[in-house]
Amino acid sequence: IEENASGPFFLFLHYWQTHPPYFYRYSKDSWYRGKDEVVDLLRGGKKGRDIIQTRYAHSVERFSEEFLEAVVDCLSRRGILDDTLIVITGDHGESFGERLRRPETLSDIFAMHGESLYDEVLRVPLILAGPCVPKAKSISSQVRSVDIYATLLDVTGGGNEIPSGLDSLSLRTLWESKEKEHRLAISSTTYAYFPQEDSSQAFSLYAVRDGTWKLIFDKKKERVELYHIKKDLYEKRNVAQRYPHHVQRLKDILTQQVTFTEYSESDKEAIKEQLESLGYL
C-alpha cells in the first residue's frame, strides 16, 4: 500500500488465520500439528467440537481486530481510505462435524468444508465499504461471490466488459434498490483433494440455490437432496421425494449451467503438485 498509494492499485489479501493451526504461528509443520489436533478433538464429539468452535471464533475475531484493522489504518494514514473500495469475504464457511453420524471415523479436516455443500460451508460474509457504497445498508436477497468481480469493475470505473463465460453482475442494482429478486447461485466441490483413480470427474458434488429452494446433487452417486431453505434454515429435512417438480427444475438449471468436465491424467498430476506445494498433501 505504501509503495502504490499515489495511484490506482488492486490488493488481494488471503489470510490463513481462520484455518488450523489457529493459535500457532503458521508454518507447514505447525499446520500439520494443528490439523491432527483438530481431527482428534472432533472425533471426541460435542466436547471437542465446542473447543474447536471457540478457537475458530477467536481466529475470526483476531482477523478483524488485528489484520483488518492494520490494513484500514494504513489506508487512513496515507489519506486514501475514503477513495478505496474494501471488500471483505470468505472463500468458504466451516462445519464442525455436526452432520457426522460417527465422529470417531473422521480422518481429515478436509471434511470440515471440502466435501459438503450445506449452508454452513456456502454462506460467507460479504461486506463492502468505500466510494458509492451506502453506509449501514443490509441486503437480504441472495447474491454470489462471483458478483464481486463485476462490482469492482462498476464501482472503480473499470468498465462493464465481463469475460465470456463468467456470470457476474454488479451489486450496485441491489443497494440502489433496483433489483428485488434472489440471484441464482451454483456451487461445486470435490470428494477429495484431487480427482481419484476411481472417478475422473473434476467435480462430483453440486448445489443450486434460488433463494427459496436448494438442491444438492451428488453426480457420482446420482443422489439428490432438496431443502426449503426459508422453512428449514439448517437443512435438516430432505424433501426431494415430496417435491419432484422442484428437483427436476433445479437439476435442469444445473445441466444448462454446468459442464461436467473430466480431468486427464496429466491434469491430475498437475493438480496434485499444486496442492502439495500449498501443504494440503
Side-chain angles (χ1 to χ4, degrees), residues 3 7 35 39 101 146 151 163 187 232 255:
E3 293 176 357
K35 179 190 73 169
V39 171
R101 294 183 180 180
V146 73
T151 306
S187 306
D232 182 16
T255 302

Side-chain angles (χ1 to χ4, degrees), residues 133-157:
V133 180
K135 294 182 179 180
K137 186 177 181 67
S138 177
I139 303 298
S140 59
S141 57
Q142 177 172 283
V143 297
R144 302 89 51 89
S145 298
V146 73
D147 294 328
I148 296 172
Y149 181 73
T151 306
L152 288 173
L153 290 179
D154 182 7
V155 173
T156 62

Side-chain angles (χ1 to χ4, degrees), residues 2 22 26 46 50 72 98 105 148 155 157 188 208 211 215-216 227 238 241 270:
E2 296 286 353
Y22 299 130
Y26 179 75
K46 186 179 184 307
D50 290 344
V72 173
E98 306 94 325
T105 64
I148 296 172
V155 173
S188 62
V208 55
L215 178 80
I216 299 177
Y227 299 98
N238 179 7
Q241 292 186 337

